[in-house]
Amino acid sequence: MLESLHIANYALIDCIDIDFHSGLNIITGETGAGKSIMLGALSLILGGRADTKAVRQADRKSVIEASFKASAHPKLQELCEANDIDWDPDHCILRREISPAGRSRAFVNDTPVPVGKLAEVAQRLVDIHSQHQNQLITQPAFQMEVIDTIAGNADLRAEHRKYYDSFREAAKALKLARLKVERSREDEEYTRFQLEQLQELRLSDPAEQEELEQRRDLLTNLTEVKEALRLALDSLEGCSGSAIERLDDASHAALKAEAALDEADDIPARIESARIELKDIAGSLASADAALDADPAELESIDDRLSAIYAQQRRHHVDSIEALMAIRDKLARRLEALDNSDTALASLERDARRAMALARESAARLSESRREAATRFAELLMERSRPLGMHNLRCEIAVSQAQSLSATGIDEISFLFAFNKNQPLMPVGGAASGGEISRLMLSIKSIIADRMELPSIIFDEVDTGVSGDVANRMGLMMDQIARSIQVIAITHLPQVAAKGAHHYKVFKLDDETSTHTRITQLTASERVDELALMLSGDPKSKSARAAAEALLNH
């Protein structure tokens, strides 16, 4: 339940702290006193949009903090632990901060969280039903939510959602595969042409291009290369006074002068080693020279091969044989997939049909559960609503098949009402007055309150449009709901206000510079004053005070 609410620097509120209690908590106050401001602040805890205009003083942030007792809420504990939110077994504290610049921060048990996650936690703790939400009863989504709550369909809906998502994924995969096949068939002839051209190249070695280019450059410059080789050979051994010949002379001379040389220097042997090395180099040069025979046919063949490779590289906007090989293999796979597309599509179609069958089976289970719950709910709603002055109310919950499968099943649900004996059943939006809708919504909330697994529910003037004995009965209904969960009711009706176990008054207080909203919990005598004021406008009126005391005693 909601234990306390702290609001600071928000609209007309500089700072208030309220402690709430279990049972029925009543909030009253004159129009414009600030009740809606408090509710607006609390709505920020539920993920409402932050508005910088609500920041009272521009030099500091607005803070709204609500503390809930949630020790007996295992699903909330699971949610917090799954999102790495600190869990306190005694309290769950939600906080929203709005900076003057408009930046918003959210916290759950002092753990920073996205606003969406704050809302997800808050919606498991409190339900705020305001006046404009009375129109929810006309909306199909709300009507379905009510019936599913009555039926206890949470597990069935989760199961169906799983099957429905699987069906959507299978259908999407089939659709994409068909589109891919269609596009591939349109391009099949060109794809085969591209593949044939690449296959004709018979590419296998990524280094082939580099080797061919090196060989082409060599053959193109063959004359210059052979002249260079010949010059090198002549310098080593091919002419008088060549390097090897001079080394022969040096070797003979060193042998003659060996006696004069330092034995450790080993000059003759070193000269002989140099002569042998040069002879080996000369042999290598001679072999290279012999291998370079000019062959115009080889050069032409290399040029043709490189031209074919370059043409395909330009066509496919790549610059290597490795990339061409990758494109060739990709084209081959595409054509292979196209050749096998009928088999692949047939398999995807079977998957989609199987997924649809499972989704339809789960939707059928939901439909059966909803039809049973719809009958029970219609009877319950008439039973709860008749004491609120709707003696001739007739209700029918129509569960019909929708045109297509959806995430919620294959049902369309419509609440049909007749409020007078001679009135045909029709949708509530065209059949009910504002007061009748208010009473219907309260009756619905009273039926589903226990099943909602909510610690707290807040009614914001749900009793609008009623008075007298009906107002008294609405108060009794709120009191009945409050025996199982905490109820906080904002009301203008003394008959409802008298039913509260705890009564708070919202009022304005002026100082020299500004107006402030305040709230206080009323004592027993103060409650008499407030009810007398609500009854007659004069808290000192003896008749009004007697009526107020009678309401409280009753």
Side-chain angles (χ1 to χ4, degrees):
M1 71 174 193
L2 177 61
E3 294 183 304
S4 64
L5 178 64
H6 168 78
I7 304 173
N9 197 37
Y10 182 82
L12 294 179
I13 301 173
D14 48 5
C15 184
I16 62 172
D17 289 280
I18 321 165
D19 292 325
F20 291 103
H21 307 274
S22 59
L24 179 56
N25 296 260
I26 295 294
I27 298 177
T28 60
E30 294 181 3
T31 300
K35 300 186 298 298
S36 60
I37 293 174
M38 290 174 50
L39 208 60
L42 189 58
S43 70
L44 293 175
I45 296 293
L46 276 79
R49 184 177 178 273
D51 188 351
T52 56
K53 294 178 182 178
V55 178
R56 180 181 174 89
Q57 294 182 6
D59 59 343
R60 59 191 182 95
K61 63 187 177 184
S62 291
V63 178
I64 298 91
E65 181 175 287
S67 177
F68 294 86
K69 184 176 181 181
S71 55
H73 206 308
K75 290 186 178 180
L76 181 60
Q77 182 177 355
E78 291 174 9
L79 175 63
C80 289
E81 292 175 349
N83 289 276
D84 296 325
I85 297 172
D86 291 339
W87 175 252
D88 185 332
D90 297 319
H91 304 283
C92 185
I93 301 174
L94 311 184
R95 186 169 77 253
R96 187 88 179 267
E97 299 179 354
I98 307 167
S99 72
R103 289 187 298 273
S104 173
R105 301 178 67 198
F107 302 84
V108 177
N109 291 335
D110 286 329
T111 302
V113 295
V115 172
K117 190 60 62 179
L118 174 73
E120 187 176 353
V121 172
Q123 287 164 7
R124 293 178 181 267
L125 292 168
V126 62
D127 173 45
I128 298 179
H129 184 83
S130 57
Q131 292 180 58
H132 73 274
Q133 287 178 307
N134 281 340
Q135 297 306 315
L136 281 174
I137 197 173
T138 67
Q139 298 178 11
F142 175 77
Q143 294 176 1
M144 180 172 290
E145 193 68 37
V146 169
I147 297 303
D148 282 337
T149 300
I150 295 296
N153 281 341
D155 291 341
L156 277 179
R157 281 189 64 155
E159 177 190 51
H160 172 71
R161 184 58 188 256
K162 180 185 69 175
Y163 287 130
Y164 178 75
D165 288 344
S166 296
F167 160 62
R168 288 290 301 272
E169 290 173 6
K172 181 179 179 181
L174 176 60
K175 181 180 179 181
L176 291 176
R178 283 173 172 164
L179 289 173
K180 188 175 181 180
V181 168
E182 289 175 6
R183 287 195 296 266
S184 296
R185 290 200 187 284
E186 292 173 358
D187 300 334
E188 180 179 5
E189 185 176 346
Y190 182 59
T191 301
R192 291 193 185 279
F193 169 72
Q194 289 181 307
L195 178 60
E196 288 170 2
Q197 287 194 317
L198 288 172
Q199 288 175 332
E200 287 174 0
L201 286 178
R202 300 183 181 279
L203 300 172
S204 60
D205 182 4
E208 179 189 4
Q209 181 178 345
E210 183 179 358
E211 293 172 355
L212 286 173
E213 288 171 342
Q214 290 176 351
R215 181 67 178 166
R216 179 198 59 189
D217 293 343
L218 182 63
L219 292 176
T220 301
N221 301 308
L222 185 62
T223 300
E224 293 181 6
V225 172
K226 288 184 72 68
E227 287 179 357
L229 288 173
R230 177 54 52 193
L231 178 61
L233 280 169
D234 288 346
S235 299
L236 291 176
E237 63 177 4
C239 61
S240 177
S242 66
I244 294 176
E245 185 179 311
R246 298 294 296 272
L247 280 174
D248 284 338
D249 294 341
S251 179
H252 292 309
L255 287 172
K256 290 180 181 180
E258 189 173 10
L261 298 173
D262 189 339
E263 185 177 351
D265 291 337
D266 199 13
I267 297 300
R270 290 164 64 188
I271 292 174
E272 179 63 15
S273 176
R275 188 185 69 78
I276 293 171
E277 178 68 17
L278 286 180
K279 285 285 287 182
D280 185 65
I281 291 172
S284 297
L285 290 172
S287 297
D289 182 53
L292 290 178
D293 293 330
D295 184 358
E298 181 186 3
L299 181 59
E300 183 179 359
S301 174
I302 291 174
D303 282 337
D304 290 345
R305 177 68 171 169
L306 285 173
S307 294
I309 292 172
Y310 292 154
Q312 289 303 312
Q313 287 177 344
R314 287 193 298 272
R315 179 184 296 276
H316 296 284
H317 307 288
V318 296
D319 58 4
S320 70
I321 285 181
E322 185 176 11
L324 284 178
M325 292 169 66
I327 293 171
R328 177 199 63 195
D329 295 343
K330 181 180 179 180
L331 293 173
R333 289 193 299 271
R334 183 184 301 172
L335 289 173
E336 181 181 6
L338 184 60
D339 292 338
N340 298 325
S341 60
D342 289 343
T343 302
L345 287 176
S347 176
L348 289 172
E349 286 172 355
R350 286 194 298 272
D351 292 343
R353 284 196 298 270
R354 190 180 303 112
M356 174 178 276
L358 291 171
R360 286 191 175 277
E361 288 174 7
S362 64
R365 289 191 290 273
L366 264 176
S367 296
E368 183 179 358
S369 175
R370 285 166 177 163
R371 281 192 291 270
E372 293 175 358
T375 301
R376 297 199 313 271
F377 177 69
E379 294 172 353
L380 273 173
L381 187 54
M382 288 187 289
E383 180 184 330
R384 295 287 178 92
S385 300
R386 281 169 182 158
L388 300 182
M390 292 186 281
H391 306 291
N392 297 317
L393 176 68
R394 286 181 293 123
C395 174
E396 180 182 311
I397 311 300
V399 181
S400 57
Q401 184 168 316
Q403 292 183 350
S404 59
L405 194 66
S406 72
T408 58
I410 197 165
D411 299 314
E412 288 182 350
I413 293 179
S414 179
F415 286 14
L416 303 175
F417 296 96
F419 295 90
N420 302 300
K421 289 183 178 181
N422 60 343
Q423 184 180 18
L425 289 166
M426 63 180 65
V428 64
S433 66
E436 287 168 332
I437 289 178
S438 294
R439 283 174 277 172
L440 282 175
M441 283 301 296
L442 180 59
S443 299
I444 290 171
K445 292 286 185 176
S446 72
I447 294 170
I448 66 176
D450 291 338
R451 298 170 174 86
M452 292 171 68
E453 296 184 354
L454 279 171
S456 304
I457 186 168
I458 298 175
F459 290 116
D460 178 23
E461 299 183 2
V462 71
D463 46 24
T464 297
V466 299
S467 60
D469 182 58
V470 172
N472 183 63
R473 292 179 181 275
M474 291 184 76
L476 289 171
M477 187 172 287
M478 291 184 202
D479 183 49
Q480 183 66 34
I481 299 172
R483 296 182 187 184
S484 57
I485 66 174
Q486 180 192 51
V487 175
I488 299 172
I490 299 173
T491 183
H492 285 291
L493 300 180
Q495 298 94 327
V496 174
K499 301 296 185 293
H502 313 279
H503 192 156
Y504 302 82
K505 180 174 182 178
V506 178
F507 58 96
K508 286 181 179 179
L509 184 67
D510 293 331
D511 59 21
E512 294 180 356
T513 59
S514 58
T515 299
H516 307 268
T517 289
R518 293 282 186 267
I519 185 169
T520 184
Q521 184 171 357
L522 301 180
T523 63
S525 61
E526 289 171 336
R527 290 192 72 182
V528 174
D529 293 339
E530 177 67 7
L531 291 177
L533 178 66
M534 296 172 71
L535 285 164
S536 69
D538 181 6
K540 296 181 180 180
S541 167
K542 291 182 179 181
S543 59
R545 292 183 68 82
E549 290 175 350
L551 283 173
L552 289 170
N553 292 332
H554 179 71

